[in-house]
């Protein structure tokens, strides 16, 4: 930002009002009205003009130019300095309140700040999370309870739940997924036969459920490798992506494992040979990348060899980790089966009916709380350790616009002997 020295305070006032610029200041910015004078003093002067550097969203550039032009100031676009990562505008709307971020961002923002060059997988991550949760918590009746609880949180009718209000969409989505898988499993508060089995009963058919979990995990890993490869290209070009474990080389190794499994199951030798060739090429590329990263030499060769073995082991363990989708789905179905068996064993048209109802209600409550917590934690673990570890290699930083509190109108034309009165308008942050 270039401005005449005598009007730089007025220009900075307009910049603060716009909440569209993150200034690169030589001190930690404050929020009080004195911040205008501090920023003005930090400007670099060259004759009759002064300047400050910072970041602004590209779509706000023309608006900012129009605001500063009447003051004789302007904005000069500069190339991004080498080794400096631009901030990431996370909300897509810099005027959106920080207290109301997009609901789909919760998973990613808890893990990291998306680097400026990377794709943002927030929506895909949210969808993967609720599907994994539903597969482990497959019960249509208990899923309906989650849906109702999510809607209750969204309504804000319960004051104690308002602090968690922004999580309502995950709870609602998890409930929808639980209902979907519950219908597939024929589970409605357990194997009550209220709804028919459309696919399989987990307790009776654990092997097909295990295979389905592995296939679903392979699909998610393929998506993670795809997004990771795109991110590596955007971060360092095709050369960097070619040798990265979370880029093309890693994706080729994962594809080789898929070809090997398919070739062995289908009995097609050509697929097995293609898998071996592709795996060999991928391992060579990964080793080269690790060797260069380790600094070369004998020590680098040993380190690259160890990390190469670790890469292969991790790939196998990552895929096997998705069997927990079947394991915990089976556990949930088994617990509900025990509850239903106890209910039916106690049921008689006399006083024992009360005991049967109590067993049914208490058993459902305990299973709902226990399995809901377990499924939520396990889905989060799969998201972070198996998927995000391939999508992200660096951590970004969020865009933080410079928007201190401003003096009352008429008090910002210049320094005054007396401290100006201060108003407290609402801050506009991303």
């Amino acid at each position: 930002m270039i401005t005449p020295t005598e009007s730089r305070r007025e220009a900075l006032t307009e910049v603060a009002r716009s909440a569209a610029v993150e200034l690169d200041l030589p001190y930690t910015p404050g929020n009080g009205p004195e911040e205008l004078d501090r920023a003005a003093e930090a400007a670099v002067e060259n004759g009759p003009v002064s300047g400050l550097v910072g970041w602004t969203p590209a779509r706000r550039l023309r608006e900012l130019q129009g605001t500063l032009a009447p003051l004789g100031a302007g904005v000069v676009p500069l190339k991004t300095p080498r080794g400096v990562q631009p901030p990431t505008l996370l909300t897509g709307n810099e005027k959106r309140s920080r207290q109301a971020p997009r609901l789909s961002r919760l998973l990613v923002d808890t893990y990291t700040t998306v680097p400026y060059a990377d794709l943002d997988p927030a929506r895909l991550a949210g969808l993967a999370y609720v599907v994994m949760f539903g597969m482990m918590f497959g019960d249509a009746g208990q899923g309906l309870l989650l849906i109702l609880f999510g809607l209750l949180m969204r309504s804000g009718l319960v004051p104690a739940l308002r602090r968690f209000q922004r999580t309502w969409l995950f709870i609602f989505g998890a409930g929808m997924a639980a209902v979907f898988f519950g219908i597939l499993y024929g589970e409605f508060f357990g194997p009550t036969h209220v709804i028919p089995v459309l696919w399989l009963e987990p307790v009776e058919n654990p092997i097909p459920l295990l295979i389905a979990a592995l296939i679903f995990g392979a699909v998610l890993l393929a998506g993670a490798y795809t997004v990771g490869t795109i991110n590596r290209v955007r971060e360092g070009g095709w050369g960097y992506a070619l040798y990265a474990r979370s880029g093309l080389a890693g994706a080729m190794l994962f594809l080789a494992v898929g070809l090997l499994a398919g070739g062995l199951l289908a009995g097609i030798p050509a697929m097995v040979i293609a898998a071996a060739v592709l795996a060999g090429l991928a391992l060579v590329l990964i080793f080269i990348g690790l060797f260069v990263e380790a600094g070369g030499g004998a020590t680098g060769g040993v380190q690259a060899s160890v990390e190469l073995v670790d890469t292969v082991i991790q790939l196998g363990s990552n895929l096997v980790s998705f069997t927990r989708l079947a394991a915990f789905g089976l556990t949930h179905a088994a617990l509900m089966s025990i509850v239903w068996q106890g209910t039916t064993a106690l049921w008689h048209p006399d006083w024992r009916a009360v005991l049967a109802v109590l067993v049914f209600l208490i058993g459902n409550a305990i299973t709902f709380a226990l399995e809901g917590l377990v499924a939520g934690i396990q889905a989060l673990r799969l998201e972070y350790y198996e998927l995000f570890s391939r999508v992200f290699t660096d951590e970004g930083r969020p865009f933080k616009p410079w928007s201190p509190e401003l003096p009352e109108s008429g008090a910002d034309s210049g320094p005054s002997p007396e401290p100006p009165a201060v108003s407290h308008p609402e801050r506009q942050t991303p």
Side-chain angles (χ1 to χ4, degrees), residues 16-17 31 403-408 421-428:
R17 286 200 182 104
N31 190 38
S403 55
E405 294 178 353
L406 298 174
E408 288 182 350
V422 179
S423 65
H424 297 278
E426 180 183 356
R427 276 187 76 187
Q428 294 182 339

Side-chain angles (χ1 to χ4, degrees), residues 21 32 35 40 68 76 88 97 101 121 166 169 171 181 187 230 250 264 316 339 361 395 411-412 426:
V21 179
E35 177 66 17
L68 296 178
V76 179
T88 302
S97 170
R166 64 178 186 168
L169 187 58
I171 297 174
F181 281 98
E187 296 273 330
I230 295 173
L264 292 175
V339 171
L361 293 177
E395 184 169 352
D412 59 352
E426 180 183 356

